[in-house]
Amino acid sequence: MRSRIIIAIAALLVIFSCEKPIEPIQRTEEVSLSGKIVNVGLTSFDVQITAPEASPYYIACYKAEDFKGVSVSGIIDDIRRKTDLGAAWASFLKVGNQTITFPSLYSNTKYRVVLFGMNASGETTSEPMILTTTTQSFGASASLESSTPFSFTIEVDPDRDDIGWFGVAFTGSASRLDTIDDELLLTYIRYYIGEDSASGATYEEIAKFGHGFYSGECNPDDNLLFTVVAIDKNLRVVSGLTKLRFDPSQEGLQIFDEKRTSHIHSFIYAYDHKELGVMIDFTGYDVAYPGFPNNTISFNGDSKSYYGIDMYKSTDLECATALASELQAQLEAAMANPAYSSYFAQCQTPEDCLGLVAYTTQNFYDNGKIWYRLSPEEVMSSLDGNSIDEVAFPISINRIDGNLHVYPYEYCVSRVRFSELDYSFETSPTKASVKVLEKQNTSKVRLVRL
């Protein structure tokens, strides 16, 4: 594994007491006080304080963007409110020469430190001093190392390896991913880091260090956004987002007999001669009159042994009727089973009865598209070693009448004969050339659907 460290030295701007003070103040005594910022890092820096022995002072750090409106009088008033509740003035003060570390900061962020002398009575003893600096930056590049219709690998190359990185892949509509707010993405990322931590994972298990890879699965019609952030040992996100927007490669994917009806979208597909499958998407449903879907896949006429018809050669209506009859048989068997009689006794409508044995289109609609993937070798094994040729993929949305009769009201059937297309599947697929990734540098896979 290659590893490189590029330490970005943050610009350091220190403004001493010569800077115009925040406000004029009345002092009961004059204390010689100075400070300078040193050891600026990615998430911390130190302030070296020079002060007379036993001379107390107050020091605080703010993000530059939060510094507007900060005043000495406001600070003192805030401390006074706390002392009125029982806190001691001395608990807010530092004394003498020392180096103070401000940890748990954010990378590439401008900070301001306010410093002024103050005694235990709440009286200021010096003009306020403002020190300014910017923490070091974290950057990373993310590039697509490989992409197929069903998988991807992203190469991540951070510009430093002294802090861990965490990757998350999001999927959603292209318009959504192209415009989603960074803060919302960071909210999701923090949530998933918290999930991993709650499950017992350590920082070293959650974070990856240096050059590495993130691999995941996807669907050919996914729109993808990959994000990378730096996380510290406290599992805080301490950097901005590195983002990579991409869509899966379609190379090797072939679509056969794509069909669309009012509420159904489906087709048969093959991928690289090594995979066969179907896609089903219920694009809507009637809330007032629910439907109950059913589907199957027939290879080389094997539907005859179960449904009594060859679905490749039969009409669409005959296929849909066979699927509805299957639900009818399941319903009658369930109603005849004493174990389920109490459930059926509570049914108020025919739809309630069929709903006990079938998912509605609403369930499928809420789950989005379904890609059903099959190994050609397993299919051919069920066909006694014969090659896959005639494939039928019928889908039916069924309804039920007052007599508890199940019937199809919407249906479509996709069909393909591979021999006509001179397309065949490998019976002994050669192992694809896969890049070997070191386990410690391959990020945990997470695909978040937005």
Side-chain angles (χ1 to χ4, degrees), residues 61-203:
C61 176
Y62 301 85
K63 279 186 179 180
E65 62 190 49
D66 300 329
F67 191 68
K68 292 181 180 179
V70 173
S71 66
V72 172
S73 59
I75 292 171
I76 294 173
D77 288 344
D78 182 61
I79 295 175
R80 183 171 287 112
R81 283 191 292 270
K82 293 174 182 177
T83 57
D84 289 344
L85 295 174
W89 276 98
S91 65
F92 300 97
L93 304 178
K94 305 290 184 183
V95 178
N97 297 338
Q98 58 179 300
T99 298
I100 298 171
T101 298
F102 288 100
S104 301
L105 306 178
Y106 295 90
S107 71
N108 195 31
T109 301
K110 188 175 183 180
Y111 287 92
R112 294 197 175 185
V113 174
V114 60
L115 171 67
F116 59 87
M118 184 170 67
N119 62 30
S121 298
E123 300 168 324
T124 58
T125 59
S126 76
E127 292 287 352
M129 181 186 306
I130 311 301
L131 312 178
T132 303
T133 191
T134 300
T135 50
Q136 294 178 5
S137 63
F138 171 89
S141 64
S143 58
L144 205 57
E145 196 272 345
S146 65
S147 177
T148 78
F150 296 97
S151 66
F152 61 88
T153 296
I154 295 169
E155 186 172 8
V156 179
D157 197 5
D159 59 16
R160 55 196 301 158
D161 60 7
D162 57 346
I163 192 166
W165 58 266
F166 183 81
V168 179
F170 296 90
T171 181
S173 68
S175 59
R176 174 65 166 157
L177 296 179
D178 290 340
T179 59
I180 189 169
D181 183 77
D182 282 3
E183 282 304 314
L184 181 56
L185 291 172
L186 289 169
T187 298
Y188 278 110
I189 290 168
R190 293 186 185 102
Y191 171 77
Y192 292 114
I193 292 172
E195 266 197 337
D196 288 348
S197 176
S199 68
T202 65
Y203 172 62

Side-chain angles (χ1 to χ4, degrees), residues 223-290:
N223 307 114
L224 292 157
L225 173 66
F226 176 67
T227 60
V228 178
V229 294
I231 57 175
D232 66 10
K233 290 184 178 180
N234 295 319
L235 299 179
R236 294 183 314 124
V237 176
V238 296
S239 74
L241 286 163
T242 294
K243 297 188 286 188
L244 174 64
R245 176 71 176 82
F246 67 98
D247 297 327
S249 167
Q250 303 299 304
E251 185 177 355
L253 183 72
Q254 295 197 43
I255 305 299
F256 307 98
D257 203 15
E258 186 169 4
K259 295 286 183 66
R260 293 179 185 271
T261 65
S262 297
H263 302 97
I264 302 171
H265 172 211
S266 65
F267 53 75
I268 301 168
Y269 77 85
Y271 171 55
D272 197 29
H273 301 274
K274 302 181 183 72
E275 181 174 309
L276 172 69
V278 297
M279 194 284 292
I280 179 172
D281 180 22
F282 291 101
T283 58
Y285 56 88
D286 185 345
V287 176
Y289 196 177

Side-chain angles (χ1 to χ4, degrees), residues 413-433:
V413 183
S414 295
R415 297 179 175 87
V416 62
R417 178 178 286 163
F418 289 105
S419 59
E420 291 180 349
L421 305 173
D422 196 27
Y423 191 97
S424 61
F425 296 93
E426 294 185 6
T427 54
S428 298
T430 57
K431 291 185 178 179
S433 176

Side-chain angles (χ1 to χ4, degrees), residues 395-415:
I395 301 173
S396 173
I397 298 178
N398 308 284
R399 285 180 173 171
I400 185 171
D401 62 21
N403 296 317
L404 301 185
H405 171 67
V406 181
Y407 62 95
Y409 87 97
E410 186 175 347
Y411 50 86
C412 70
V413 183
S414 295
R415 297 179 175 87

Side-chain angles (χ1 to χ4, degrees), residues 206-420:
I206 295 172
K208 304 303 169 189
F209 297 85
H211 175 261
F213 298 87
Y214 182 104
S215 296
E217 293 185 350
C218 59
N219 289 327
D221 58 346
D222 279 337
N223 307 114
L224 292 157
L225 173 66
F226 176 67
T227 60
V228 178
V229 294
I231 57 175
D232 66 10
K233 290 184 178 180
N234 295 319
L235 299 179
R236 294 183 314 124
V237 176
V238 296
S239 74
L241 286 163
T242 294
K243 297 188 286 188
L244 174 64
R245 176 71 176 82
F246 67 98
D247 297 327
S249 167
Q250 303 299 304
E251 185 177 355
L253 183 72
Q254 295 197 43
I255 305 299
F256 307 98
D257 203 15
E258 186 169 4
K259 295 286 183 66
R260 293 179 185 271
T261 65
S262 297
H263 302 97
I264 302 171
H265 172 211
S266 65
F267 53 75
I268 301 168
Y269 77 85
Y271 171 55
D272 197 29
H273 301 274
K274 302 181 183 72
E275 181 174 309
L276 172 69
V278 297
M279 194 284 292
I280 179 172
D281 180 22
F282 291 101
T283 58
Y285 56 88
D286 185 345
V287 176
Y289 196 177
F292 302 86
N294 198 2
N295 66 88
T296 191
I297 307 176
S298 173
F299 302 99
N300 298 3
D302 64 356
S303 57
K304 287 185 292 187
S305 63
Y306 186 81
Y307 293 97
I309 60 172
D310 182 344
M311 291 186 169
Y312 184 84
K313 296 181 174 63
S314 302
T315 66
D316 288 5
L317 178 57
E318 288 172 335
C319 294
T321 300
L323 292 176
S325 297
E326 181 181 32
L327 283 184
Q328 182 81 57
Q330 292 174 357
L331 173 63
E332 293 174 358
M335 294 183 71
N337 190 332
Y340 303 135
S341 58
S342 61
Y343 296 100
F344 283 103
Q346 300 176 44
C347 292
Q348 302 295 314
T349 66
E351 288 76 27
D352 291 340
C353 292
L354 191 53
L356 288 176
V357 296
Y359 287 109
T360 68
T361 44
Q362 181 173 352
N363 297 119
F364 281 99
Y365 182 84
D366 290 341
N367 290 330
K369 297 177 182 177
I370 300 169
W371 289 80
Y372 187 55
R373 305 172 62 185
L374 295 165
S375 162
E377 283 194 318
E378 293 180 359
V379 174
M380 284 185 264
S381 175
S382 69
L383 298 174
D384 297 324
N386 294 320
S387 298
I388 300 171
D389 188 17
E390 295 178 343
V391 180
F393 176 48
I395 301 173
S396 173
I397 298 178
N398 308 284
R399 285 180 173 171
I400 185 171
D401 62 21
N403 296 317
L404 301 185
H405 171 67
V406 181
Y407 62 95
Y409 87 97
E410 186 175 347
Y411 50 86
C412 70
V413 183
S414 295
R415 297 179 175 87
V416 62
R417 178 178 286 163
F418 289 105
S419 59
E420 291 180 349

